[in-house]
Amino acid sequence: MVEANYTVVGMTCEHCVRSVTEEITRIDTVSEVSVDLASGAVSVRSSAALAEDDVREAVAEAGYELAS
């Protein structure tokens, strides 16, 4: 398993957390997503290393963006 950590900007509620979680979970190798609303921290576990662009695209699809 590979674990990667990101920061998502713009989340304000549990609906935001669910949206981000759902979109990132759609990436093929992802097995687990954990989001901390207060800090915007997102931890992703997957069976292979993820391309940051794939995660960025998933987060954008949910309506948010990764911090630079």
Side-chain angles (χ1 to χ4, degrees):
M1 280 299 196
V2 177
E3 186 168 327
N5 297 295
Y6 306 94
T7 301
V8 174
V9 178
M11 294 186 299
T12 59
C13 65
E14 286 303 317
H15 178 268
C16 302
V17 170
R18 283 192 303 275
S19 295
V20 168
T21 300
E22 286 175 15
E23 291 299 331
I24 295 175
T25 302
R26 291 180 183 187
I27 299 171
D28 286 338
T29 60
V30 171
S31 59
E32 184 180 333
V33 178
S34 176
V35 179
D36 180 68
L37 177 60
S39 67
V42 178
S43 177
V44 181
R45 295 187 78 181
S46 60
S47 59
L50 297 173
E52 186 172 316
D53 286 344
D54 291 344
V55 177
R56 186 174 303 281
E57 185 177 315
V59 169
E61 186 66 31
Y64 308 96
E65 64 182 75
L66 285 185
S68 299

